[in-house]
Amino acid sequence: MTILINFLRSLALTIIFSFVAPLIFIGAVLVALSLISYVPGLQNLTGAIANLILQFLATFGGGSSLEGTITIGLTCSFVGVLFDTYVHYRYQILRLDS
């Protein structure tokens, strides 16, 4: 029973962190571009880069950048769950062999 509880706790943390990490990364990049745009002469360049990122996100969100960001977060979360499940399975196999 303890193994199941540890696995579910690990799975829940993996879901949360794997979802939040790409959201924070995308947000940090957009905030950094926004702050860099205050430097004279870089406004057009950073605006163009931010626009390209928002268009890229809109591709995954059916026209909405926010939905694209959530889609990428959910995909990363799913991959994290698969990886955590694999690691748990390998741990169980290796523990039984020793």
Side-chain angles (χ1 to χ4, degrees), residues 89-98:
Y89 169 75
R90 284 295 292 170
Y91 175 74
Q92 293 300 318
I93 296 297
L94 293 174
R95 193 176 66 141
L96 292 175
D97 287 343
S98 55

Side-chain angles (χ1 to χ4, degrees), residues 50-64:
N51 193 19
L52 287 173
I53 291 172
L54 293 175
Q55 287 177 357
F56 174 77
L57 293 173
T59 301
F60 291 107
S64 171

Side-chain angles (χ1 to χ4, degrees), residues 40-84:
L42 294 179
Q43 293 145 352
N44 293 335
L45 177 66
T46 56
I49 293 172
N51 193 19
L52 287 173
I53 291 172
L54 293 175
Q55 287 177 357
F56 174 77
L57 293 173
T59 301
F60 291 107
S64 171
S65 299
L66 181 61
E67 288 179 14
T69 305
I70 291 173
T71 301
I72 289 174
L74 288 173
T75 305
C76 289
S77 180
F78 179 69
V79 171
V81 166
L82 289 176
F83 182 70
D84 190 49

